[in-house]
Amino acid sequence: MIQKLFSYLIPIKIFKKKSARSKIIEVTWANGELVLDSENTNYSYGSLQRILRYGLRNIGYKAILEMDHVLLLGVAGGSVIKTLVNEIEYKGKITGVEIDSDMIQIANEYFNLNQIKQLNVIIDDAFEFVLKTKEKYDLIIIDIFEDIHMPNFLFEKFFSDRVCSLLKDQGFVLFNTMILDEAHNVRNKKYIAEINPKLFTSKMLPRIEVHNELIIIEKVA
């Protein structure tokens, strides 16, 4: 494909749409691959896929292969789902929760997300879903952004306690956060400090991208 070849020289935008939730959504050929972006940041594939792959590698591919059910809060184009299924060859259930139906439509059309049989996508607010789900999960991936902003509820103790309560024993939370200023550093440290050390271990991974910091929580009890 000529666009793919030219994209090694210059990014080629092939789709752009205004979305009520995400403002601008763009699909672009960049360095030979399709990526999904908002107005100011990468949403799926590209650098975001590298970041979440790094987090999954830290948890351990072998451990992930033994899991039964993964919950993804914030699907966007589904790059982390592709990493789980195509690279790690994870065979268990994946539940994806995405508030923006436009995003899922684009993910299906350009990234073939609807062809992944083990994936169940639910259009819902992550906060609401976490409150009402009755399931327990081996891995919960939190990857929720509105362009470069993260909703405040993600860092509230009530929400993090509820997310952690949904983990099976030896289950993990992989939380992708964005750091743009010192206040965000303080916010992340506070978030970690509020995790119950008797039930969970928590750590921040060294950054591989300037503005993204991954937090990993493991249920030990």
Side-chain angles (χ1 to χ4, degrees):
M1 184 190 280
I2 194 107
Q3 289 174 318
K4 182 174 180 177
L5 287 172
F6 273 117
S7 75
Y8 286 100
L9 303 172
I10 185 169
I12 299 170
K13 197 178 298 172
I14 61 169
F15 177 86
K16 184 174 181 177
K17 179 175 182 174
K18 283 194 172 180
S19 156
R21 299 292 319 188
S22 307
K23 294 182 182 167
I24 302 286
I25 307 171
E26 299 174 344
V27 179
T28 305
W29 278 106
N31 294 315
E33 65 175 347
L34 277 179
V35 299
L36 181 67
D37 296 321
S38 67
E39 191 171 7
N40 297 299
T41 192
N42 175 234
Y43 259 15
S44 281
Y45 307 92
S47 63
L48 185 73
Q49 190 166 23
R50 286 195 296 276
I51 291 160
L52 290 172
R53 185 188 288 120
Y54 168 57
L56 294 172
R57 199 179 293 128
N58 194 278
I59 289 168
Y61 287 5
K62 191 177 173 192
I64 291 167
L65 283 170
E66 293 173 4
M67 294 177 177
D68 295 317
H69 199 169
V70 172
L71 173 63
L72 172 60
L73 301 177
V75 175
S79 55
V80 71
I81 296 167
K82 294 286 188 77
T83 301
L84 284 165
V85 173
N86 297 341
E87 296 176 32
I88 302 174
E89 298 184 356
Y90 171 73
K91 302 287 192 245
K93 267 175 74 175
I94 303 170
T95 298
V97 179
E98 172 59 56
I99 198 168
D100 190 344
S101 57
D102 287 336
M103 199 73 82
I104 297 303
Q105 195 178 341
I106 292 163
N108 291 340
E109 186 176 341
Y110 288 94
F111 302 99
N112 302 318
L113 209 61
N114 51 355
Q115 292 180 17
I116 297 172
K117 299 283 189 283
Q118 71 222 68
L119 171 64
N120 177 32
V121 173
I122 297 166
I123 304 297
D124 201 356
D125 180 279
F127 187 86
E128 298 290 332
F129 179 86
V130 160
L131 287 187
K132 62 195 174 195
T133 182
K134 302 287 193 292
E135 298 258 4
K136 295 277 187 177
Y137 304 91
D138 300 285
L139 170 62
I140 300 172
I141 302 168
I142 306 172
D143 189 36
I144 296 175
F145 297 91
E146 292 168 358
D147 195 29
I148 57 171
H149 305 289
M150 300 190 72
N152 290 332
F153 76 80
L154 294 172
F155 298 93
E156 289 169 3
K157 189 172 187 302
F158 174 80
F159 183 75
S160 64
D161 284 351
R162 178 63 186 159
V163 166
C164 287
S165 77
L166 300 177
L167 288 178
K168 296 180 187 176
D169 290 345
Q170 276 76 57
F172 291 88
V173 174
L174 174 59
F175 186 12
N176 182 24
T177 72
M178 190 169 275
I179 305 280
L180 298 175
D181 56 34
E182 183 52 34
H184 292 160
N185 277 320
V186 172
R187 175 203 67 194
N188 278 22
K189 288 189 175 79
K190 180 176 181 288
Y191 178 87
I192 287 253
E194 289 176 343
I195 302 294
N196 186 341
K198 292 178 182 171
L199 301 176
F200 306 94
T201 61
S202 55
K203 63 183 176 183
M204 289 182 272
L205 297 187
R207 290 185 212 172
I208 59 164
E209 300 282 341
V210 177
H211 296 300
N212 288 81
E213 185 164 67
L214 291 173
I215 296 171
I216 292 183
I217 301 165
E218 181 180 3
K219 186 173 182 181
V220 292

